[in-house]
Amino acid sequence: MPTKNVTDERLSKFKNKGKDPAKLRAKRITECVELRKAHKNENFLKRRNLTLSSLPDEEALSPDYIPNEDSNNIPVIQVTHLSIEDIIKDVNSDCRKSQTRGCQAARKLLSQERNPPLKEIIDAGLLSNFVSFLSMDDEPTLQFEAAWALTNIASGTSWHTQQVVEHGAVPAFISLLSSPMLHISEQAVWALGNIAGDGATYRDILIECNVIPALLSRISPDTPVGYLRNLTWTLSNLCRNKNPFPPLSAVQQMLPSLVQLLHLSDKDILSDACWAISYLSDGDNDRIEIVVKTGIVPRLVELMSHQELGVMTPALRSIGNIVSGSDLQTQTAIDAGVLNVLPKLMRHPKTSIQKEAAWALSNIAAGPCKQIQQLITCGLLPPLVHLLRNGDFKTQREAVWAVTNLTSGATVEQVVQLVQSGALEAIINLLQVKDAKVILVILDAINNIFMAAEKLGEMEKLSLLIEELGGLDRIEMLQNHDNEMVYQAAHNIIEKYFSDSDTRGEKVDATEDAFVFQSPDVQKAFEF
Amino acid sequence: MELNDANLQTLTEFLRKTLDPDPSVRRPAEKFLESVEGNQNYPLLLLTLLEKSQDNVIRVCAAVTFKNYIKRNWRIVEDEPNKISDPDRTAIKANIVNLMLSSPEQIQKQLSDAISIIGREDFPQKWPDLLTEMVTRFRSGDFHIINGVLRTAHSLFKRYRHEFKSNELWSEIKLVLDTFALPLTELFKATIELCQTHATDVNALKVLFSSLTLIAKLFYSLNFQDLPEFFEDHMETWMTNFHGLLTLDNKLLQTDDEEEAGLLELLKSQICDNAALYAQKYDEEFQPYLPRFVTAIWNLLVSTGQEVKYDLLVSNAIQFLASVCERPHYKHLFEDQNTLTSICEKVIVPNMEFRSADEEAFEDNSEEYIRRDLEGSDIDTRRRAACDLVRGLCKFFEGPVTAIFSGYVNSMLAEYAKTPRENWKHKDAAIYLVTSLASKAQTQKHGITQANELVNLTEFFVNHILPDLKSPNVNEFPVLKADAIKYVMIFRSQLPKEQLLQAVPLLITHLQAESTVEHTYASHALERLFTMRGPNNTTLITAAEMAPFTEQLLNNLFKALAFPGSAENEYIMKAIMRSFSLLQESIVPYIPTLIGQLTHKLLQVSKNPSKPHFNHYLFESLCLSVRITCKANPATVSSFEEALFPVFTEILQNDVQEFLPYVFQVMSLLLEIHSNSIPASYMALFPHLLQPVLWERTGNIPPLVRLLQAYLEKGGETIARSAADKIPGLLGVFQKLIASKANDHQGFYLLNSIIEHMPPESLIQYRKQIFILLFQRLQSSKTTKFIKSFLVFVNLYCVKYGAIALQEIFDSIQPKMFGMVLEKIVIPEVQKVSGPVEKKICAVGITKILTECPAMMDTEYTKLWTPLLQALIGFFELPEDDSIPDDEHFIDIEDTPGYQTAFSQLAFAGKKEHDPIGDAVGNPKILLAQSLHKLSTACPGRVPSMLSTSLNAEALQFLQGYLQAATVQLV
């Protein structure tokens, strides 16, 4: 008789019993209130003063640069520093040349490093002029300067962006995308990226205005790399933001191109394309499924080893998102070799990479015991223990989750391996962290490990081990913790595993000198 | 209630009465206040009184009453009436901050508490202006007011230190940061400046330093959950000033009090906590500041004295260093040999010294001393912190640290050797140092289990521990004696056996030491040594090896109980228990004297049981006396009964609740020794055991069930004959127990004993009712535990009364009941039955149903025959099904059910496994084969045909195996 299978089946019944397995996965679905500074290593929501690749000479972007006539499409206009009043006068004049001069002066003011006068320009009422210049196909210089000025304004706060949009810039920019002049088209790409980056609302307005087909049509084998970089960035902003997510149809439209971009070698394109994927996969399993279906997972796993941090980070984030999905989705990442890459990332010098890697691991550890086995076989326990011991606090927190998730889904043998790898000792040391949630999660893991020990009949051995490791002292101390749940969890562990069992019962009513033995006369038929 | 003078007057009267020491005056006043507190304006009357009353006592009393009123009533519970009217709520919130700030400190504290209770419910949504109102007060320049604000803020924000992250919590913190962080920072800077301008004004400094302490606490709360952007941006300001404060000393602020921590200590202590928080959680951002803090804190430690008032500061400061030195990237801060040496010399060694406060505790408060020194409740002591630092440093620097300390240990021992009388404390510190250095892992059960290999423990034992133990005067240098005993005790697993054997008689001698700590340690050490395991699962130290010392051991242990302060010393009593257990029959000659002393002790403690552990070991020792003596000579049981019953009677009559479960267990033990008859003295007690009041106490249930089982086993016949009128009461107990999910297995233990031992005819009239009750419970609440017990019972009944009787009684309750039980319960659930005896009962019972029940062959039950056989074979061959349905996961299941009472609070009162089938059936598989063979010869052809049509192939194969083993064939 196949005894072994029977046992396995039984064990699978035990897995996560009493718990909702979906909750084990620490997903980033809701946008959380943050106390910290915004993430430093994520890509920019909006950009100003970016290199515009289509300009032949990059120095052209310097606000002090005065281009020479004939060298390109931009005619020479001598600009000294005009005052706002002069700019207003110029822009409002009927003379194209003055308009161009005013516009360019405005653009330069708006490009200055410190405190560009965004509000002053808006208050001067110049936006409607700029927007109207956008449609002047016969005045490419003016068109370009206006586009640049508006781009810079749109790179400001939400209020600034709002001004640009409300002056009708969106349709004008979208038509500019098809400008035969590459640098003008690229300026439009950039402006639209800033608008999309403002948030879900403008992003969706752009999508409704059919920005996506207009953008995608500019991708061709001949498109210069620099242009593609900007375009990828704008696409990534169109994928960005939740509540709500971008419409599925838009996602479907963009994905094939993103996949294509991901196979290029330029690091900036790769970085933004990865960010785009990371936004798209940062959602429920249906969103993840759309990404997984494109077959991009192996490439993303490959990019996790990219030498550029800017690529590695979003690739890791994307895979992290994917392994927070269903077991099947997680399996695609495992099949693509994520478990071979993670150990290296877990020992990466950047703590942010360690943290993200530990987070991804914690989600894989929340899977079924078959995936846990793969995790163990690929040698993930030693780096996990390394992080528990040496990681910074945020990394340790993720690593603790990995341990707890693992202990709630693993077979007894797997739990034994985990304990032998030193994880128990490491999490016990972490019982002194100043974070109630982490402590609770550790206590949960200890409880799970006890449940495994119970099946092996090694409860006493485990109790002694925990005591030796200083865990008993720590858990006893946690009985004084101010957090009710921590106190309760610690108390339960002490009661259950470290003290002689108490007995309890429940009240049943009775009176007299003895109980009355009787059963009711009338009764329904028994049916079990 | 109007807000008028008359009501204020009345309220004043009643408040005054609540302070009356006479309960007959106080209670009615309290009741009155409670009865009127629901009225509108009541809280406002209290606020008026606490502000305006002429009598200071009334003001404070009103404040306390107000706070308690808020605590009870402010929270609005869903579906319950709002207990405070909305106008009152608004008025309270509008006035309380002002009132708090303008009140004297005693009242301010109460109101501050009240504000935080209200804040917990209403802040921020329903009390949006609270913070701005508070922050504006920072500008008042009046530090009495500012401190009031800070204190209130602290009580509002301190929950950020322990609550879980949530969007709601973090939104609140964000809001607090937005309004509070900048003003707090400004206040912090301004306060520090004021400290400089008022550097010579002690009164001003005191107020300013309490502000700084509160500000530092607020910093901790606000930074606890995560590093806020604001504080990251202002880290320079905060950390530079914290660092400055750590290094600051002002003679004016030093206190003369040796015990109570002064303002400087409190502030620095909090700063250490703040630094530790940043070092632990915000390492990356804090890194630039950390080395400075390490230096400052370590200088602080070097310059801080031994007084108790510095304890918290020193322990926090050392813990900070201990947590930092373990982190790989700070290793370099400690690496230098000079640094290590001076940490050892100036931080660790001084804090391991035995202080006068320790000496006082050793002499006058031995319980506290033992708790700290032996049981590890020394968490926040200096010694513990120093130990933790040693362990932290050993992570990277074990070799150098051991070498440095070896030097110190040697020089301290040399100091001691020169003039022991003056320098004995040096030796104490040396021993402590060796212990902390050597111990890498420790448990209560085994002592130190992993030692630093660089320390030679045996050598140290021979050269420095043994001489103290051997010194003829046990009362000289008691602290060093206690240290030496403790050394043996904790290193017992590391020391060779011959050293331990050498120590045993010396430890016995020290039981006579006058010092409580010393003789307690000696008892404890002996007890621990006696529990050590040797080869082959025996004790390491054998009774034979103890023979020369037996008499002295027992004498000294009992004499030690006579020392003042040790009359109920649990360590001594535990050592007595353990000695009995180790020595076994060699204690028999002493028992006649000892049992008298034990019962005398029992009588004394039963007057007022206060030491549960002592009492427990006392009962264990009694059990051991009984078992060991009666094992050699069962007839002596009556002499124990003679000695014990008078005390037991007293305990039962006085209803000493703590002791009843013990008494029942000892009685069970005594009764079980009797051979097959029940003495009249027990029968007299029988009716009393059925009293419901005893069964209402859950602690009584397991031992009482066991006692009743003993009654049934020894006196089933007697009960049927002379106490038949008590049978319904007995079954009533069963009925009560069966009704409870927690106790139903106990009900089955009882029922099984009734079925097994009561003459069948005495039960005839009750049998059907018993089954009906079981079926009812099965119908209403079918838990896995119940089913397992039910299956064992049904099969036991079948074994005892026969399969036909079982089938008939089922079917008499409801037609086709037997089939339904087989199909719905037995076949699908039998795999869950656990325990060897339980499994055997089920196997034999099912075999009987299969082979001795005609209805199984000839009626519609026949279709169940093969499935039942298949289930039985699975029961033999498959692993036990230990799954529990999801919905049962959260039921509290105290004991796993088994045939035996699992309750064994008294380890030495434990009873042997009882097997009602016993040797009658050796191998149930063979019995099945033989029974099937018998059945097949009775109706040839039918059995093989039933097998071949529906038994699955694997099961059939197993069955063939059984038939072969039994050398029978089916026909």
Side-chain angles (χ1 to χ4, degrees), chain A residues 1 33-37 390-391 434 460 467-468 473 483 504 511-513 515 518 526-527, chain B residues 162 174 224 226 229 233 280-282 285 327 384 444-445 449 692 735 779 814 820 892 954:
Chain A
M1 240 174 242
V33 182
E34 277 296 336
L35 299 176
R36 281 214 179 225
K37 276 180 185 288
N390 304 313
K434 299 176 201 298
E460 184 170 341
E467 190 182 350
E468 279 189 335
D473 275 356
N483 185 297
R504 287 186 324 186
T511 48
E512 314 296 325
D513 278 350
F515 290 100
Q518 59 181 16
F526 292 112
E527 181 66 49
Chain B
H162 63 255
K174 226 176 149 70
F224 193 90
D226 203 345
E229 182 165 4
D233 291 341
Q280 186 184 81
K281 295 180 86 165
Y282 317 126
E285 294 82 359
R327 299 190 74 86
R384 174 65 174 255
Q444 285 289 324
K445 194 161 180 177
T449 51
Q735 181 171 356
Q779 179 121 327
Q814 182 177 308
M820 181 163 71
D892 267 333
E954 275 171 303

Side-chain angles (χ1 to χ4, degrees), chain A residues 1-4 6-7 10-11 13-14 16-19 30-38 40 350-352 386 389-394 396-397 429-430 432-441 451 454-455 460 463-470 472-474 476-477 481-486 500-528, chain B residues 162-165 167 170-171 173-174 177 220 224-229 232-233 273 276-277 280-282 284-285 327-328 376 379 384 395 440-446 449-450 687 690-692 695-696 698-699 702 728-729 731-736 739-743 766 769-770 772-773 775-776 778-779 782 813-814 817 820-821 824-825 831 878-884 886 889-890 892 894-895 903 952 954-955 958:
Chain A
M1 240 174 242
T3 313
K4 197 161 177 295
V6 175
T7 323
R10 295 265 160 72
L11 283 170
K13 281 187 200 160
F14 270 104
N16 306 335
K17 65 177 175 183
K19 289 184 184 169
T30 46
E31 199 74 3
C32 286
V33 182
E34 277 296 336
L35 299 176
R36 281 214 179 225
K37 276 180 185 288
K40 295 164 196 158
K350 286 285 283 187
T351 52
S352 58
H386 171 79
R389 286 190 186 135
N390 304 313
D392 80 338
F393 177 70
K394 283 168 284 180
Q396 287 175 324
R397 183 168 53 199
N429 271 328
L430 286 172
Q432 55 192 345
V433 297
K434 299 176 201 298
D435 183 315
K437 185 74 193 173
V438 172
I439 293 172
L440 192 68
V441 173
M451 277 158 60
E454 199 168 3
K455 287 182 204 153
E460 184 170 341
S463 316
L464 284 175
L465 179 62
I466 289 177
E467 190 182 350
E468 279 189 335
L469 297 173
L472 178 57
D473 275 356
R474 297 228 163 101
E476 273 177 344
M477 251 204 292
H481 202 279
D482 285 323
N483 185 297
E484 179 76 14
M485 284 175 77
V486 169
D500 304 324
S501 60
D502 273 326
T503 46
R504 287 186 324 186
E506 56 184 70
K507 289 184 195 115
V508 174
D509 36 58
T511 48
E512 314 296 325
D513 278 350
F515 290 100
V516 187
F517 176 63
Q518 59 181 16
S519 55
D521 299 332
V522 205
Q523 63 201 16
K524 288 184 291 183
F526 292 112
E527 181 66 49
F528 309 121
Chain B
H162 63 255
E163 295 219 341
F164 294 136
K165 173 182 176 173
N167 274 351
W170 283 34
S171 305
I173 296 176
K174 226 176 149 70
L177 288 167
Y220 191 79
F224 193 90
Q225 293 272 332
D226 203 345
L227 175 58
E229 182 165 4
E232 186 174 347
D233 291 341
D273 280 345
L277 175 74
Q280 186 184 81
K281 295 180 86 165
Y282 317 126
E284 198 181 338
E285 294 82 359
R327 299 190 74 86
I379 298 301
R384 174 65 174 255
K395 188 170 166 190
K440 291 171 105 176
Q442 185 170 11
T443 69
Q444 285 289 324
K445 194 161 180 177
H446 301 296
T449 51
Q450 258 185 70
L690 305 178
Q691 280 173 10
W695 295 89
E696 292 303 343
T698 50
L731 290 169
V733 171
F734 149 75
Q735 181 171 356
K736 179 206 154 57
S740 137
K741 277 185 202 166
N743 296 322
Y766 308 111
Q769 231 172 321
I770 291 173
I772 289 173
L773 283 168
F775 290 146
Q776 275 172 342
L778 205 51
Q779 179 121 327
K782 189 164 66 168
I813 289 168
Q814 182 177 308
M817 178 67 112
M820 181 163 71
V821 172
K824 299 282 173 60
I825 312 284
Q831 200 69 31
L878 288 175
E880 189 180 303
D881 177 0
D882 55 358
S883 66
I884 297 170
D886 288 345
H889 180 61
F890 297 101
D892 267 333
E894 251 56 57
D895 307 276
F903 181 79
N952 88 19
E954 275 171 303
F958 281 115

Side-chain angles (χ1 to χ4, degrees), chain B residues 62 64 68 118 174 208 247 286 305 352 365 475 489 602 616 662 667 792 806 848 888 897:
Chain B
V64 173
N68 290 333
I118 298 172
K174 226 176 149 70
L208 293 170
T247 51
F286 188 57
M352 284 195 174
N365 193 356
N475 293 322
M489 199 264 298
L602 178 58
H616 182 92
Y662 290 124
M667 286 183 60
V792 174
L806 184 70
K848 280 180 174 287
E888 268 185 55

Side-chain angles (χ1 to χ4, degrees), chain A residues 406-420:
Chain A
L406 196 146
T407 55
S408 50
T411 65
V412 174
E413 292 75 18
Q414 289 164 347
V415 173
V416 170
Q417 275 173 291
L418 179 79
V419 171
Q420 284 169 346

Side-chain angles (χ1 to χ4, degrees), chain B residues 578-631:
Chain B
R578 201 67 72 187
S579 304
F580 282 8
S581 167
L582 174 74
L583 299 169
Q584 290 293 330
E585 60 271 17
S586 32
I587 64 167
V588 172
Y590 306 98
I591 288 295
T593 0
L594 297 184
I595 197 71
Q597 300 192 42
L598 289 172
T599 43
H600 180 65
K601 206 58 166 176
L602 178 58
L603 193 62
Q604 280 177 325
V605 295
S606 66
K607 304 254 188 300
N608 178 22
S610 53
K611 301 264 163 122
H613 286 106
F614 178 86
N615 300 333
H616 182 92
Y617 300 132
L618 174 57
F619 276 104
E620 293 279 23
S621 303
L622 284 171
C623 288
L624 279 163
S625 316
V626 171
R627 280 169 61 142
I628 293 168
T629 314
C630 295
K631 193 173 149 199

Side-chain angles (χ1 to χ4, degrees), chain A residues 18-30:
Chain A
K19 289 184 184 169
D20 177 4
K23 281 189 188 147
L24 293 174
R25 297 185 189 273
K27 293 194 71 161
R28 289 177 172 144
I29 284 184
T30 46

Side-chain angles (χ1 to χ4, degrees), chain A residues 91-305:
Chain A
V91 171
N92 282 317
S93 81
D94 290 334
C95 162
R96 290 283 183 254
K97 204 171 164 189
S98 306
Q99 285 172 340
T100 311
R101 185 178 57 207
C103 214
Q104 191 177 44
R107 179 264 293 177
K108 289 187 176 178
L109 271 182
L110 293 169
S111 301
Q112 72 196 22
E113 192 78 24
R114 278 160 192 266
N115 308 319
L118 302 182
K119 185 153 184 335
E120 287 82 343
I121 298 288
I122 294 168
D123 289 345
L126 296 179
L127 260 51
S128 47
N129 302 66
F130 292 165
V131 171
S132 67
F133 296 155
L134 290 181
S135 47
M136 297 185 177
D137 290 341
D138 49 345
E139 288 287 341
T141 309
L142 184 54
Q143 212 177 21
F144 175 65
E145 291 294 348
W148 194 341
L150 285 170
T151 306
N152 283 350
I153 293 171
S155 75
T157 65
S158 274
W159 182 80
H160 297 128
T161 313
Q162 188 188 350
Q163 304 310 309
V164 174
V165 174
E166 284 177 356
H167 281 87
V170 168
F173 273 125
I174 293 180
S175 11
L176 267 193
L177 284 175
S178 52
S179 164
M181 311 261 195
L182 207 52
H183 70 281
I184 294 179
S185 166
E186 188 177 358
Q187 191 63 56
V189 169
W190 180 5
L192 290 166
N194 276 340
I195 295 170
D198 185 68
T201 315
Y202 286 160
R203 178 201 65 200
D204 289 348
I205 286 177
L206 290 180
I207 290 172
E208 272 169 41
C209 294
N210 281 318
V211 73
I212 294 174
L215 279 171
L216 298 183
S217 69
R218 301 294 320 212
I219 304 179
S220 77
D222 309 325
T223 316
V225 163
Y227 185 102
L228 274 185
R229 285 180 190 155
N230 263 322
L231 188 140
T232 313
W233 172 70
T234 298
L235 279 180
S236 80
N237 270 355
L238 285 167
C239 296
R240 194 169 186 154
N241 288 311
K242 300 193 271 192
N243 306 319
F245 284 98
L248 279 177
S249 55
V251 174
Q252 300 281 22
Q253 273 179 309
M254 286 185 281
L255 264 173
S257 303
L258 284 171
V259 169
Q260 226 181 322
L261 292 166
L262 275 171
H263 283 92
L264 300 179
S265 57
D266 180 77
K267 67 179 167 58
D268 294 327
I269 294 177
L270 285 177
S271 173
D272 283 324
C274 282
W275 279 116
I277 297 289
S278 80
Y279 305 142
L280 294 180
S281 53
D282 182 9
D284 57 26
N285 291 1
D286 296 342
R287 294 266 163 189
I288 294 173
E289 189 59 28
I290 294 167
V291 172
V292 170
K293 267 199 185 139
T294 60
I296 196 62
V297 172
R299 175 63 177 160
L300 289 171
V301 170
E302 189 184 332
L303 291 175
M304 283 167 70
S305 306

Side-chain angles (χ1 to χ4, degrees), chain B residues 169 349 782 956:
Chain B
L169 180 73
V349 172
K782 189 164 66 168
L956 193 58

